[in-house]
Amino acid sequence: MGMTEALNGLRDVLSASAYPLNLPGAETARNLAKATSGQLDDYLIPRLARLDAPLLAVAGGSTGAGKSTLVNSIVGEAVSVAGARRPTTRAPVLVCHPEDSRWFTEANLLPKLTRTVTEGVGLRIVQSAAIPSGLALLDAPDIDSVEEANRVLAEQLLAAADLWLFVTTAIRYADAVPWELLTDARNRGTSLAIILNRVPPGAAGEVAPHLTEMLAEHGLGSTRMFTVDEQQLSPDGLLPQRSVQELKTWLDDLAQSAAERAKVVRQTVDGAIKALEPTAARLAAEADAQAEAVDSLKDSVGIAYREAELQVAQGVHDGVLFRGEVLARWQELAGTGEFMRGLQATVGRWRDQLVSAITGKPRPTEQLQSALESGLVTFVHGAAEDAAEKTARAWRAHPAGAALLRPGLSSAGKDIDERADRMVRDWQRAVLELVRTESSKKLYVAKASAYAVNALGFALMIAVFAATAFIPTGAEIAVGAGTTVAAQKLLEAIFGDEAVRRLAGTAREDLLNRVHDVLGEEAQRFYDVLASSGVDPAAGDRIRSAAQAVRIA
């Protein structure tokens, strides 16, 4: 893979990278990815395609630094608007020799920036024989403009420069913003020259050494520096030629020497390519952080809903559901006294009493069914409510989670009761079918009515709802427990001990599996939010892979 192909690959990956979660480094990563892919598009890729193209020098700096006046004075005519109104340079102006205009008008560099030959929006191209062939001079907006769009454009233009002409003044040279950009230039290895402009008479001896010292402290000690004194402007708004002669001569020499131009271009290109690796590593790490945040938020969902499932399983095991109305309806159906006395007598006698009590009397059975449904639905609803609240609380405590919470997400779904009720009814039908299948070879049940089968099914449901169904009876056992034991004894009399244990285990497992599905649907609401967040779990690896391809190339 060649370098251009590798850079195109990295550009595509960075352009597609998103950092949607509100993590501490997300905003910086978004800006960095945009700026880096922009520099690849605006500068590196087109420049590598034509290393012999004219050198682009961009004059950038703070508000009021005198960039436009400086550019106009170098050209010898007012090509860029200069004045006291801020911001002055609203649309960048590029001045080049007529022979070089094709390179810039055809949008090789800065391809997405509109070209114009008049004042207005976009990059204004001005042809002038005062600029030697091989060199173009661009007047950029202020790097600290009050208008954000101007600041962004200024940084974009500087990133597309072969050479930065960084313009500052005796008053503004120590400001923080310029030094942030100068540090970026150093880190990228950009070719750089400093122009200390508007120096008051007699101040150069003090200001210039201090600026030189600051450049050295920032690792820019070898940077070429030019000093331009504060002087009266001509009626055309230009500086005297002697004030800019040293700078103009240096730029002319660069334009006339292909070797020197190539040296400047190569330094900037090589520096920009080398800077891609640490930049990509940083962006990949931030992409990993996004994926890790999603995993963490997923874990909080999984934990909350697993706890909800355990809550339901424990309630089934401990007989929590076998209370209140469910117990009352079962007692009404079977008769607690009859069952307790039956434990002291033969199984056959109270079994016959149960069948006799049920046959032709469907209402107690329906009431028990309704009580079971209501109890289970309420229990599942409560577990879902707890899980949603726990998950929402965990998300609020996470840097990225709070912004993802949607209205209603912190409570159970609006249709939870409907789905839970459907789940219980399906389970009850499955239990009755389980009993019907198991009893199909039992002559007694075969001769009994459908109500007897239903009674056995509900007896199995009662046995499912309490671990106490499998402990010995005695006078100290509560009425509820005794009733549950009676239900089990009835089942054992018909199906046998092992079959009852198997049936109860199967019914319990089936119920918990159905609860798992309902709570899984509840949890899916949170997972869907994460899935739609725009986080790509493989983004970090793709960035590293693309950066490695550039390194190899």
Side-chain angles (χ1 to χ4, degrees), residues 455-473:
L456 293 174
F458 287 120
L460 179 58
M461 294 178 203
I462 293 300
V464 165
F465 291 135
T468 53
F470 302 107
I471 65 173
T473 186

Side-chain angles (χ1 to χ4, degrees), residues 60 84 92 129 178 245 326 347 479 514:
Q245 190 58 50
V326 175
V347 170
V479 172
R514 294 175 188 272

Side-chain angles (χ1 to χ4, degrees), residues 393-549:
R393 188 162 56 246
W395 278 28
R396 289 191 190 98
H398 193 284
L404 294 175
L405 286 174
R406 304 287 185 266
L409 202 57
S410 58
S411 57
K414 292 181 179 180
D415 63 342
I416 180 64
D417 286 343
E418 179 184 342
R419 288 185 289 113
D421 185 69
R422 186 165 56 248
M423 178 271 293
V424 174
R425 288 176 179 273
D426 289 344
W427 176 70
Q428 289 177 334
R429 283 193 291 269
V431 170
L432 294 177
E433 184 61 31
L434 187 66
V435 169
R436 186 175 293 106
T437 300
E438 186 69 23
S439 63
S440 60
K441 296 181 181 180
K442 303 293 182 179
L443 179 61
Y444 171 82
V445 177
K447 293 180 179 180
S449 70
Y451 296 118
V453 174
N454 287 347
L456 293 174
F458 287 120
L460 179 58
M461 294 178 203
I462 293 300
V464 165
F465 291 135
T468 53
F470 302 107
I471 65 173
T473 186
E476 74 283 359
I477 297 180
V479 172
T483 305
T484 308
V485 172
Q488 182 189 352
K489 291 299 182 182
L490 173 61
L491 293 168
E492 289 177 357
I494 297 174
F495 299 121
D497 177 67
E498 289 300 322
V500 171
R501 292 179 182 273
R502 174 171 50 79
L503 290 172
T506 299
R508 180 181 292 107
E509 182 180 1
D510 182 35
L511 173 60
L512 295 181
N513 285 339
R514 294 175 188 272
V515 170
H516 170 81
D517 292 342
V518 170
L519 292 178
E521 292 172 356
E522 286 289 295
Q524 191 61 44
R525 298 180 306 143
F526 289 92
Y527 292 135
D528 288 344
V529 170
L530 292 175
S532 64
S533 67
V535 175
D536 180 359
D541 289 338
R542 273 200 292 274
I543 293 172
R544 278 184 284 269
S545 178
Q548 183 180 17

Side-chain angles (χ1 to χ4, degrees), residues 22 28 57 177 201 208 211 253 258 277 364 388 410 424 436 442 500 547 551:
N22 292 331
T28 300
V177 173
L211 177 54
D253 290 343
E277 186 168 357
S410 58
V424 174
R436 186 175 293 106
K442 303 293 182 179
V500 171
R551 183 169 59 252

Side-chain angles (χ1 to χ4, degrees), residues 142-482:
D142 303 329
I143 59 173
D144 56 355
S145 174
V146 294
E147 296 183 9
E148 182 181 1
N150 279 350
R151 297 196 303 272
V152 171
L153 179 56
E155 293 181 11
Q156 179 185 5
L157 296 173
L158 286 171
D162 295 308
L163 171 65
W164 282 21
L165 299 178
F166 214 85
V167 185
T168 187
T169 68
I171 297 175
R172 305 290 303 275
Y173 72 89
D175 289 356
V177 173
W179 286 101
E180 291 176 5
L181 291 177
L182 288 172
T183 300
D184 288 342
R186 178 203 65 197
N187 294 340
R188 289 205 297 261
T190 303
S191 297
L192 179 68
I194 301 292
I195 303 171
L196 181 59
N197 194 29
R198 301 178 61 182
V199 180
E206 179 181 350
V207 176
H210 186 221
L211 177 54
T212 300
E213 182 181 333
M214 291 186 69
L215 288 169
E217 290 174 357
H218 285 80
L220 295 165
S222 61
T223 303
R224 182 71 180 267
M225 186 170 71
F226 300 90
T227 301
V228 179
D229 295 335
E230 180 80 69
Q231 298 185 51
Q232 183 70 34
L233 301 181
S234 71
D236 295 331
L238 306 180
L239 289 164
Q241 280 297 300
R242 65 178 184 278
S243 298
V244 296
Q245 190 58 50
E246 183 184 7
L247 175 59
K248 188 174 186 307
T249 299
W250 182 67
L251 292 173
D252 288 346
D253 290 343
L254 276 179
Q256 293 166 9
S257 172
E260 288 301 314
R261 289 202 312 273
K263 182 179 178 181
V264 170
V265 170
R266 178 56 65 185
Q267 176 183 332
T268 301
V269 168
D270 287 350
I273 291 174
K274 288 178 182 177
L276 290 174
E277 186 168 357
T279 297
R282 181 179 176 185
L283 292 173
E286 290 294 341
D288 290 342
Q290 294 272 318
E292 290 165 5
V294 169
D295 289 341
S296 177
L297 293 170
K298 281 183 179 178
D299 288 343
S300 64
V301 178
I303 291 171
Y305 282 90
R306 281 195 297 272
E307 289 178 353
E309 288 187 46
L310 290 174
Q311 178 183 341
V312 174
Q314 192 65 39
V316 171
H317 182 272
D318 292 346
V320 171
L321 289 167
F322 190 56
R323 295 175 182 173
E325 186 179 3
V326 175
L327 177 58
R329 294 308 178 189
W330 171 253
Q331 290 172 340
E332 180 182 336
L333 174 65
T336 302
E338 290 297 321
F339 269 75
M340 294 301 291
R341 286 192 297 272
L343 291 175
Q344 308 299 325
T346 62
V347 170
R349 189 178 67 195
W350 50 254
R351 177 191 61 195
D352 292 340
Q353 291 172 347
L354 172 66
V355 173
S356 175
I358 294 174
T359 303
K361 297 179 180 180
R363 182 169 177 75
T365 307
E366 293 172 356
Q367 290 175 333
L368 174 60
Q369 180 180 14
S370 177
L372 281 172
E373 289 175 5
S374 177
L376 260 176
V377 168
T378 300
F379 199 56
V380 171
H381 187 149
E385 202 73 47
D386 289 346
E389 184 179 340
K390 287 178 182 178
T391 302
R393 188 162 56 246
W395 278 28
R396 289 191 190 98
H398 193 284
L404 294 175
L405 286 174
R406 304 287 185 266
L409 202 57
S410 58
S411 57
K414 292 181 179 180
D415 63 342
I416 180 64
D417 286 343
E418 179 184 342
R419 288 185 289 113
D421 185 69
R422 186 165 56 248
M423 178 271 293
V424 174
R425 288 176 179 273
D426 289 344
W427 176 70
Q428 289 177 334
R429 283 193 291 269
V431 170
L432 294 177
E433 184 61 31
L434 187 66
V435 169
R436 186 175 293 106
T437 300
E438 186 69 23
S439 63
S440 60
K441 296 181 181 180
K442 303 293 182 179
L443 179 61
Y444 171 82
V445 177
K447 293 180 179 180
S449 70
Y451 296 118
V453 174
N454 287 347
L456 293 174
F458 287 120
L460 179 58
M461 294 178 203
I462 293 300
V464 165
F465 291 135
T468 53
F470 302 107
I471 65 173
T473 186
E476 74 283 359
I477 297 180
V479 172

